[in-house]
Amino acid sequence: MSRQVCLPILLLFIIVSGLIVSVAQAEPAIPIPKIGFDITEAKNPKEVALTLQILFLLTILSLVPSILIMFTSFVRVVIVLSFVKRALATQEMPPQQVIVGLALFLTFFIMAPTISTIYSTAVQPYLDGKITAGEGLDKVQSPVREFMFKQTRERDIDLFLNLNKLPRPKNRDDVPTYVLAPSFMISELTTAFQMGILLFIPFIVIDMVVASVLMSMGMIMLPPVMISMPFKILLFVMVDGWHLITRSLVLSFH
C-alpha cells in the first residue's frame, strides 16, 4: 500500500482514538451501575448454610434440562411428534422449534397432577417451615417415582437390577432411583417407537399405492414422494391428525 493511502488512514485512526478517549474521560450523562461480587469470610454458621443453599439451588437449575428429559413424559412426546413429521415427509414443516415447544406444553399438561402433588406435599410445607429440606426432598421423590413406575416395564427394571447384581426387591420402595431412571428411559423409548410404527403404517400404504400407479403409467423418473406428500397431508387433515395424536399421547400415560 502506498504512503499516500496509508497516511490518511493513520490520521483517521488517531482522530477516532482521540474521540474515544475524550468520551471515556468525560462524565457520562447517565450513571452506569457497577456490579461486583465479593467473596468474604463467613462470620457465623448461618451465612455458611445460606451459601450452601445458593450453590445447591444453582446446581439444581443446571440439571433441570436433564431432569425434564429423564423423569417426565417429554421423551415419549417429542419422539412421537418427530415420527409424525417424518411420516408426513414435509421436510421442515412444522419446524423443529414448534415440535419441541408442543412437546414441552404437552409434558406440562401430562405432569400437572404430579407437579400439583409435589407442590402441596413438599414445596408449600417447606416454605412454611413445617418440614426440613431432607423431608421435602423425600416427598418430592415419592410422586415422581410413582409416575415413573406406572410407565416402566418390569423387564427393564430387572435388566438394570441384574446388571448391577442387586437382589430382587420386595416392593417398589426397595428399587433405587438410579435403577428406576434408566429403566424408565428405556421403557419410554420402546413405547414411543411402538407408537411411531403405528403412525407410519397408513402413510407407507399411500406411498406404495402412489409408487405402483406411477410405475403402471410408466412415470419411472417421477419421484413418488412428490405425488404422495399432498395425499398424506390431505389424509392427516381430514382425520384431524393433531387432535388424534395429542389424545393418544395423553391417554397413553393413564
Side-chain angles (χ1 to χ4, degrees):
M1 186 180 295
S2 62
R3 295 179 58 183
Q4 289 80 3
V5 178
C6 291
L7 185 58
I9 294 177
L10 181 59
L11 292 175
L12 180 62
F13 176 75
I14 294 173
I15 294 172
V16 173
S17 301
L19 290 175
I20 294 175
V21 172
S22 61
V23 170
Q25 291 178 351
E27 184 178 355
I30 301 176
I32 300 176
K34 180 181 178 181
I35 301 175
F37 296 93
D38 297 332
I39 300 176
T40 58
E41 183 179 358
K43 298 180 180 179
N44 52 63
K46 291 184 178 180
E47 294 182 358
V48 177
L50 180 61
T51 303
L52 293 178
Q53 290 178 5
I54 294 175
L55 291 176
F56 179 75
L57 178 61
L58 293 177
T59 304
I60 294 298
L61 291 177
S62 64
L63 296 176
V64 165
S66 300
I67 295 174
L68 177 64
I69 293 174
M70 292 181 60
F71 299 104
T72 65
S73 59
F74 179 79
V75 172
R76 184 190 306 185
V77 174
V78 75
I79 290 178
V80 171
L81 294 178
S82 299
F83 268 116
V84 174
K85 181 179 176 180
R86 295 280 184 178
L88 289 174
T90 53
Q91 301 299 327
E92 296 299 327
M93 299 301 292
Q96 189 63 27
Q97 293 85 349
V98 176
I99 295 294
V100 175
L102 179 59
L104 283 173
F105 279 102
L106 287 178
T107 300
F108 293 146
F109 179 81
I110 294 169
M111 299 298 298
T114 304
I115 295 173
S116 178
T117 303
I118 291 174
Y119 182 81
S120 60
T121 60
V123 177
Q124 190 61 45
Y126 175 73
L127 295 177
D128 294 338
K130 298 180 181 179
I131 59 176
T132 62
E135 294 174 347
L137 184 60
D138 293 337
K139 291 183 179 294
V140 167
Q141 291 183 10
S142 180
V144 175
R145 284 170 57 91
E146 183 67 23
F147 170 81
M148 295 170 68
F149 271 117
K150 291 180 180 179
Q151 312 302 328
T152 307
R153 302 182 301 174
E154 292 186 2
R155 59 180 300 179
D156 293 330
I157 296 177
D158 292 337
L159 170 64
F160 287 96
L161 288 174
N162 295 330
L163 290 176
N164 208 18
K165 298 180 180 180
L166 294 175
R168 186 172 183 81
K170 298 180 181 180
N171 50 46
R172 291 181 173 181
D173 295 335
D174 294 337
V175 179
T177 304
Y178 68 87
V179 171
L180 179 59
S183 305
F184 172 75
M185 287 288 294
I186 290 180
S187 298
E188 287 294 282
L189 289 172
T190 302
T191 305
F193 272 77
Q194 290 173 352
M195 297 179 69
I197 291 173
L198 296 178
L199 285 171
F200 260 99
I201 292 176
F203 299 111
I204 291 177
V205 173
I206 294 177
D207 285 333
M208 294 177 62
V209 171
V210 171
S212 300
V213 171
L214 291 178
M215 290 184 63
S216 63
M217 296 176 63
M219 298 180 180
I220 304 176
M221 303 301 294
L222 183 63
V225 179
M226 295 181 60
I227 307 300
S228 63
M229 185 177 65
F231 290 101
K232 291 179 182 179
I233 298 176
L234 179 62
L235 174 64
F236 192 75
V237 172
M238 289 181 62
V239 300
D240 199 0
W242 292 115
H243 174 86
L244 294 177
I245 291 170
T246 302
R247 183 175 182 274
S248 300
L249 279 172
V250 175
L251 292 180
S252 66
F253 289 94
H254 295 289

